[in-house]
Amino acid sequence: MDYFVIIAILVFLSALFGYINVRFFKLPNTIGLMLITIVFTLGVFALSYFDDTLLNAEKYIITQIDFKSILLDVMLSFLLFAGALHTNFEQLKVQRGPILLFSTLGVLVSTFLVGTAVFYLLQIFGLEVQYIHCLLFGALISPTDPIAVLGILKKAGVPKKLETKIVGESLFNDGVGVVVFLTIYQFASPSTETITALDVVELFGVEVIGGIILGLLLGWVTYRLMKSIDDYDIEVIITLATVMVGTVIAQKLHLSAPLAMVTAGLVVGNDTLRDSSMSETTETYVDKFWELIDILLNTLLFVLIGMEMLVLTFNINYIIAGLFAIPIILLCRYISLVLPIRIFEKKLDFVPNTNVIMTWGGLRGGISIALALGLSEDMNRDLFLVITYVVVVFSIVVQGLTVGKLVKKLAK
């Protein structure tokens, strides 16, 4: 079975499950697709007691796909560029202060709070895990997932200024979260080299600041190229080349590709630059093209998340630990947002109960699962993968389905 066949099967399943969801369940696509895929996989498990052909085929597909690499190295760049392209730049500029603190200080505080709390939680279950490995889990679960957030908030009726904070934070904090994860990963990996504080600052600075600078440069070059011509076909291809070539450059220079793509998308999507670089026809085609890319990759991603059940180790203690981790992670997120909100709430006139809504609306998704899959066996990969999966499924299904009602009740 070659890659084309695997992609064809995944697109077929995405189309089939998407049709079933729209026709019968009418849930938000991200939630519906993941739930239907999980039910499908459970059905395949049940069927395997009589005939394991379908189970073996599904297992083969999952083993042939490097979920971590596909999401972090390929899909994420397209999804973040598409998300940033349609984000209100002016609102983002107004809210830049809290967004900056949410996506940096918030992620760091949450990482250490979650890591510490989970370290003691696991001891209660008799699971001896090193503290540094719990910090790794804190780093991978702390960033909110822009892919899950963007898809669900569109239908939740969140006030615009609050939506900008949640979306802006999720666009930037996953890039910061990946850098924090990689930094702690270096400490946790067995190595003969001593890692100093300077090494950490250098890695963090180069990845984050370098990624943003690259994004600004890519966005500016794209803008100049699009301004100099008026041909919507070629201009759409230019935006596609920006994402693909930009991702390759970021990876070669060891810069943060997610942050580079968010920055480039914000520059190209900026209303002022749009007016001078794109005709009305070009704007329509660029927007529709990236909306289609966004929808296609989203459907594939959430089908894959559902299928990742097959790589889990079904240990009852792991699952119970995951259920206990849910309120801990929510509490830690709430605490991590307190200081940034206190600093800016009077100046920027925050929506009532912003902290509660941002805590419940900060969904986890594929990025957390991808990072958990990147753990090595000696970092308790099986344990943290199960806990991450439980948290992500709860986040997308329970939080995703109820955030709209919570907003209507609290944001008055």
Side-chain angles (χ1 to χ4, degrees), residues 309-357:
M309 274 186 70
L310 293 170
V311 302
L312 300 181
T313 303
F314 288 98
N315 180 314
I316 190 65
N317 281 340
Y318 293 2
I319 295 169
I320 294 171
L323 293 172
F324 274 94
I326 291 167
I328 288 173
I329 290 162
L330 287 170
L331 179 62
C332 292
R333 172 160 171 81
Y334 183 90
I335 295 169
S336 72
L337 296 174
V338 168
L339 183 61
I341 289 174
R342 283 278 168 84
I343 292 170
F344 290 101
E345 66 182 337
K346 288 185 180 176
K347 183 182 176 184
L348 292 176
D349 184 30
F350 277 28
V351 169
N353 301 299
T354 290
N355 202 340
V356 175
I357 297 169

Side-chain angles (χ1 to χ4, degrees), residues 189-248:
S189 300
S191 175
T192 53
E193 294 180 21
T194 306
I195 300 169
T196 65
L198 187 64
D199 293 328
V200 173
V201 172
E202 186 181 347
L203 172 67
F204 199 84
V206 169
E207 284 261 352
V208 173
I209 298 169
I212 291 171
I213 291 170
L214 175 62
L216 288 170
L217 181 62
L218 288 167
W220 182 80
V221 170
T222 305
Y223 159 70
R224 296 299 301 178
L225 289 172
M226 293 173 75
K227 188 180 179 182
S228 63
I229 61 172
D230 183 16
D231 186 308
Y232 65 84
D233 291 332
I234 301 302
E235 288 179 74
V236 168
I237 294 170
I238 288 170
T239 61
L240 184 61
T242 297
V243 175
M244 297 178 81
V245 175
T247 301
V248 172

Side-chain angles (χ1 to χ4, degrees), residues 254-314:
H254 302 290
L255 308 177
S256 172
L259 288 174
M261 290 307 106
V262 168
T263 309
L266 288 172
V267 172
V268 176
N270 179 359
D271 287 341
T272 307
L273 297 186
R274 270 175 179 259
D275 292 342
S276 61
S277 65
M278 300 186 211
S279 65
E280 199 173 312
T281 305
T282 298
E283 197 170 343
T284 301
Y285 273 87
V286 167
D287 285 343
K288 292 298 179 189
F289 173 79
W290 283 103
E291 278 176 27
L292 182 62
I293 292 286
D294 191 27
I295 291 165
L296 175 62
L297 294 184
N298 256 302
T299 55
L300 288 171
L301 173 61
F302 283 92
V303 166
L304 283 171
I305 289 175
M307 292 174 75
E308 285 297 322
M309 274 186 70
L310 293 170
V311 302
L312 300 181
T313 303
F314 288 98

